[in-house]
Amino acid sequence: MKTERRLKELGIELAKPTSPMANYVNAVRTGNLLYLAGKGPGLPGKPLPTGKVGRDFTIEQGYGFARETGLSLIAVMKAELGDLDRVRRIVKVLGMVNATPEFGNQPEVINGCSDLFVEVFGDRGRHARSAVGMGSLPRGIPVEIEVIVEVEVEGAVPARAAAAKPAAERKVAPKTKTAAKKKKR
C-alpha cells in the first residue's frame, strides 16, 4: 500500500471514477496491460469545463485540467486493480488538447498529468507520451487523456525475482525421454 500512502502524503483523495458517457467501459485489461479509456477534467458537483486552451484557458489552467484528468485516471486504475501497488509502470499517455489552431504548447499542458503520475508512482510513473492539439473534444472539454498501464499479474513472480532464485528452488519442467534422446543425437 505504498502508493496509497503516497497519495495521502500528497493530500490527494481519489473520487469515484466517472461513468462512461456512451457505449464503452472505463478500462479493458488484456494480459498484463490495462488500457484506460479517454477521460477529461471534471470534479463531482462542479460544472464541466468547456473551451479552448489558447483562447478560453491559459497554459496554466490547461495544466490544471490535465492534472485533474490524471486524478480521474488514477481513480479508474484503483477501481480496476483494487491496489495501486499493482501498477508496474505507466507505459504510454496520449494527451489531447482542445486548442486554437496556432496553439503549440500541448506538451506543457499535458505535463499536468505526467507530473502527477511521477509524483504518485515515482519511476513507475515515467512513460512514453504524445501530446497533440485537437480542433474539438467531446462536450467541448479542454483536455482528454488516455493511458496504457502495465500491471502486476496476480500470483506471478516478477522475472528478476525468479531468476535470482537458486536453480533448485525454480520450478523447472522435468526432462522427458524424448528431450534426452534429442540431446544424445
Side-chain angles (χ1 to χ4, degrees):
M1 298 301 245
K2 294 178 203 169
T3 308
E4 303 285 337
R5 209 172 18 244
R6 180 68 182 143
L7 286 171
K8 284 183 181 163
E9 289 170 7
L10 293 169
I12 295 172
E13 191 173 321
L14 298 175
K16 182 181 172 200
T18 56
S19 299
M21 299 173 94
N23 191 16
Y24 64 93
V25 294
N26 277 330
V28 171
R29 181 160 169 205
T30 180
N32 68 337
L33 294 177
L34 183 66
Y35 292 80
L36 276 61
K39 288 282 184 196
L43 297 171
K46 285 190 170 183
L48 194 65
T50 59
K52 292 191 176 289
V53 181
R55 182 187 71 205
D56 306 306
F57 301 112
T58 65
I59 294 169
E60 294 77 17
Q61 288 171 307
Y63 179 99
F65 292 137
R67 183 177 176 87
E68 197 174 290
T69 301
L71 291 169
S72 294
L73 291 162
I74 293 172
V76 170
M77 291 177 217
K78 169 81 173 151
E80 292 293 320
L81 301 173
D83 181 359
L84 289 171
D85 287 340
R86 291 188 56 210
V87 172
R88 290 189 72 184
R89 174 140 209 176
I90 305 296
V91 176
K92 174 75 170 151
V93 169
L94 170 59
M96 298 162 274
V97 181
N98 185 1
T100 58
E102 63 280 352
F103 186 79
N105 295 95
Q106 292 85 354
E108 289 83 353
V109 170
I110 301 305
N111 279 345
C113 181
S114 295
D115 292 348
L116 173 70
F117 285 170
V118 173
E119 284 177 45
V120 171
F121 296 106
D123 283 341
R124 297 178 303 142
R126 297 192 186 285
H127 51 271
R129 185 182 85 180
S130 298
V132 297
M134 299 290 181
S136 67
L137 286 173
R139 311 285 188 274
I141 59 175
V143 172
E144 182 174 351
I145 301 172
E146 63 179 51
V147 178
I148 301 171
V149 181
E150 180 185 7
V151 299
E152 192 69 45
V153 178
E154 291 177 32
V157 176
R160 282 184 234 132
K165 287 183 179 180
E169 291 181 29
R170 286 189 225 141
K171 289 184 180 181
V172 180
K175 288 186 179 179
T176 62
K177 289 181 182 180
T178 309
K181 284 180 186 178
K182 285 182 182 178
K183 244 185 173 180
K184 287 182 182 179
R185 291 184 194 170

